[in-house]
Structure formats: C-alpha cells, structure tokens
Amino acid sequence: MSERTDPAAGPFPDRLDPLTGVRFFLALGVVLFHYQLQWTLPEGAAGLLNRARLGVDIFFILSGFILTHVYLQGDQPVNYRRFIAARFARIYPAHLFILLAMLLLVLAAPVLGIGLEPGRFNPADFLATLFLVQAWLPRDGMVLWNGPAWSLSAEWFVYLAFPAYAAVALRFRHRPWMLVAAATSLFILLDAIYRHWFGSVLPRAEDNMGVLRIIPEFLLGIGLYYLGARWAPSPRVAIVGAVGATALLLLAMQIGADDRLIVAGSGPFVLALALLAKAGVRTFLSHPVAIFAGEASFALYLVHIPILMVWRNAAQAIGGWPGDYGMGLLELAAMLAVTLAAAAAIYGLVERPSRQWLRRRTFGRMPDADARRTVHSDQGEPF
C-alpha cells in the first residue's frame, strides 16, 4: 500500500538511479529515430522509433524534476551564481568540443572534395549555436552545425529563467496539483499558439522556437517532483506503477498516437521511475553499466548526427554511392558501435574532466552533502 508523507521530510533519496539509467535508452531512441530515416526497410517498419524523438520531451520534464530535487529543497532562495555556473559546466564542454569538431569538418570538406549545400553552414548559425540561442526565435530552416543542439538552446533558456521557476515552485510546492495544472494549461496554450503561427503541434518545435516546447514541460517536472514527494509507495506498488507507465508510453509510441498524448504520458513515466528509487527498488537501470551509459548519453545524443554525416559522406566519396542511398542494418549496426565508442570517449576524456575542472575553479571544495547532490544533478540533464 502507498501512504502520504510529509514533503519536508526528505522526499527522495539523493541518488535516483532509475532516472540516470533511463537516459541512455532515451538518447538511443533518438539516435535510432534518425537511423531509421536512412535505412532500407519499408516505410512503417520502424514502429515506435517514429515517436522515439519525443524522448527529448521526457528529458525536458526530467530536467525540471531533477533540478527541483537538487536546488529547491528548504526555504532558502537559489544561489543563482552557483546554479548557472554548474549548469554551464554541465552542458558546455561537450557542446563546444563537438561544435568545434564540426567547424573543422566543414572547413576541411572543400579540401577533401566534399560538396556542402551553399549557405547551410553559415557564420550566423554558427554563432547562434555557439551561444545556444538558435531555438529562441522563429526561423525557416534547421541549424545544421549540430542539429541536436537546439535542445541545449532550450535548456539554456530555462536555466537563465530558473529564478522565476524557483519562485513559482516554492510558492506552490504544498499544492503540487496546481503546478501540474498550470503546466498542462500552459502547454495547451502554447500548442494552440504554435499551431496558429506555424501549422504544427508544439512537440514538433525544434530550431523554430523550440524554446516554447520546454517552458511548460520543465514546469511539469517541478510539479511532478512535489507531487511525488507526498507519496511513499511500497516496492510492489512502485514496480506496478513503473511497469504500467512504461508499457502505456511504449504502446502510445508504437500505435502512432498524437505527439501531445505521448508527452502527457511522459510525466507519469518520469514520476514512476523516481518512485522506484524512493521505494528502494533496484532494477537493471541501477546497474553500474546502465549508470555509466546514462551518464554518457549526453555525449551520445550530441555526437550521433556528426558521425552520421561523416559516415554517409565518406561512403559516397569512397564507394561512389548516391547521396540518398539506403543503409542496411549491418552498416547501421557498425555505425552505432562507432558512435557509442565515440560517446564514451567524449564523456570520459572531455565532458567529465572539463566539468570537474570548471566546478573546482568556480566553487573550490564543496561540503560533502552539496557535492553529492551536485553530482547527482547531472542525471536529469538535457540532450
């Protein structure tokens, strides 16, 4: 049976391992979504992979949930300088490394005889991507310097706006249903506005004002955290809830449900996984391999498109294949293996050391409790 608990009594454990382990599968789903656009199987063979791109929305909800867990405990206001420095250290090193690698590839392309579409890799888009503002304003096309970085642009926006989120969260934390209702209403409103302006539903927003997509979803994550703080499920109830929420979400993706319904099902999915940790349930998502894979998922998400571009251009240059050639499953498996290895290397050699160095330079040595919570804040970070 589940029971109500006092939200002030330590609502969740410091470690929320299921939310770390699941990050790998969310990132892998986005990778496979992009792969299935290139393969030789018949249209419709992808099933739920066509909706796996909505893992980005789960990450936006997850980010609001985890940052509430780390920064919005007690009644003290957030130390904004420490917050924004920690967020910068979290997302920027891997982003900058991959962006500079893309710049080198673009500069080397003419030397290697690789043709690029004129105007697509332009200085204005490079600067917008560098400063993570490319998803803040309307635009006609995609920013190709590293397409997945649009979601970092959206995350950076809510980081900058975090004091406003914190003020709302602390005011209504004892009425979490109001936060959930406000997030839902805001999503419906922004979806109507986006459809009116651009003729597409809100979960399709990416480079073209993708920032609108995260605004309500981040708030939903905050509301779900305070809602879950009131519940103390037994291990059995937590397992049933997690299995049920996961099955419903995967079924909705498989049958091609409306994107907005899948986003609605993503909230209970995130909360159910967090309640597994609260109930002390250990699953495969808590295994050290799953934890490492989850920690490296940020690099996986960022690097998979550049590797896909390089791979296909090399195949065309070396094999003389047409630009629209379809990739077989063995070729895709080989490319995935290369991508996973590259992601692990970027995480271990660039992302994690750079983050730790920046945090030491900014904060010095933190108290053990603060250090623990800061480390575990990484589990909710974005694509």
Side-chain angles (χ1 to χ4, degrees):
M1 297 292 291
S2 63
E3 57 185 276
R4 293 278 180 175
T5 60
D6 179 359
F12 287 94
D14 279 349
R15 291 184 62 98
L16 298 175
D17 285 344
L19 299 185
T20 303
V22 77
R23 288 172 55 200
F24 170 75
F25 296 97
L26 296 175
L28 182 64
V30 176
V31 173
L32 295 179
F33 165 76
H34 287 124
Y35 282 10
Q36 59 94 20
L37 300 177
Q38 313 291 335
W39 68 19
T40 55
L41 295 182
E43 186 177 355
L48 63 84
L49 293 184
N50 283 315
R51 290 292 189 276
R53 60 183 174 77
L54 296 173
V56 176
D57 298 271
I58 301 176
F59 264 89
F60 288 162
I61 297 169
L62 186 59
S63 191
F65 191 100
I66 289 294
L67 294 183
T68 303
H69 178 58
V70 176
Y71 292 100
L72 299 181
Q73 302 297 320
D75 299 315
Q76 296 300 316
V78 177
N79 184 323
Y80 187 62
R81 175 180 171 274
R82 292 176 69 93
F83 170 83
I84 205 67
R87 296 308 94 207
F88 179 87
R90 175 66 184 92
I91 68 171
Y92 210 78
H95 165 63
L96 181 61
F97 176 81
I98 292 172
L99 182 61
L100 293 179
M102 281 296 300
L103 177 61
L104 291 176
L105 290 172
V106 169
L107 293 176
V111 179
L112 299 174
I114 298 174
L116 299 175
E117 188 176 344
R120 296 307 298 271
F121 292 93
N122 60 73
D125 284 351
F126 178 85
L127 290 175
T129 306
L130 177 67
F131 292 106
L132 293 177
V133 297
Q134 71 270 35
W136 291 13
L137 297 172
R139 57 177 302 118
D140 293 329
M142 294 180 63
V143 179
L144 293 185
W145 284 100
N146 190 9
W150 75 265
S151 60
L152 273 68
S153 174
E155 282 277 353
W156 186 242
F157 178 88
V158 294
Y159 293 168
L160 295 176
F162 192 71
Y165 279 101
V168 172
L170 294 176
R171 180 179 178 86
F172 292 100
R173 61 181 174 168
H174 298 301
R175 290 171 285 177
W177 282 112
M178 292 189 66
L179 291 170
V180 172
T184 303
S185 300
L186 186 57
F187 183 93
I188 293 171
L189 174 63
L190 291 176
D191 175 67
I193 292 172
Y194 199 83
R195 283 186 288 115
H196 177 73
W197 285 352
F198 304 114
S200 181
V201 295
L202 186 60
R204 299 276 178 166
E206 294 182 356
D207 298 277
N208 185 21
M209 295 199 72
V211 66
L212 296 180
R213 188 166 163 184
I214 195 174
I215 290 172
E217 294 173 358
F218 191 86
L219 181 61
L220 177 60
I222 295 173
L224 290 172
Y225 180 85
Y226 289 125
L227 187 63
R230 295 168 170 260
W231 295 344
S234 67
R236 178 176 297 179
V237 170
I239 292 171
V240 171
V243 170
T246 302
L248 288 175
L249 184 63
L250 293 177
L251 177 62
M253 290 182 172
Q254 176 65 29
I255 66 175
D258 188 288
D259 289 357
R260 293 162 293 186
L261 292 177
I262 295 172
V263 172
S266 300
F269 171 73
V270 169
L271 179 56
L273 292 184
L275 291 174
L276 282 177
K278 190 172 185 179
V281 177
R282 292 186 61 83
T283 68
F284 70 95
L285 294 175
S286 301
H287 191 278
V289 174
I291 297 299
F292 177 83
E295 290 171 345
S297 63
F298 182 52
L300 172 63
Y301 176 78
L302 287 180
V303 79
H304 79 279
I305 290 295
I307 289 178
L308 176 61
M309 293 173 59
V310 171
W311 186 288
R312 289 185 63 85
N313 276 291
Q316 293 166 41
I318 297 171
W321 298 337
D324 60 350
Y325 86 95
M327 303 176 72
L329 293 182
L330 287 178
E331 183 182 5
L332 287 168
M335 184 170 62
L336 178 60
V338 171
T339 302
L340 292 173
I346 291 170
Y347 170 70
L349 301 176
V350 178
E351 180 187 345
R352 183 169 57 182
S354 299
R355 183 197 320 157
Q356 293 171 345
W357 182 82
L358 285 169
R359 285 178 172 170
R360 284 195 303 269
R361 295 280 296 180
T362 304
F363 305 135
R365 178 166 176 78
M366 292 185 288
D368 289 343
D370 288 348
R372 254 195 331 270
R373 296 186 73 78
T374 300
V375 166
H376 294 302
S377 75
D378 295 339
Q379 63 198 324
E381 285 313 292
F383 284 149

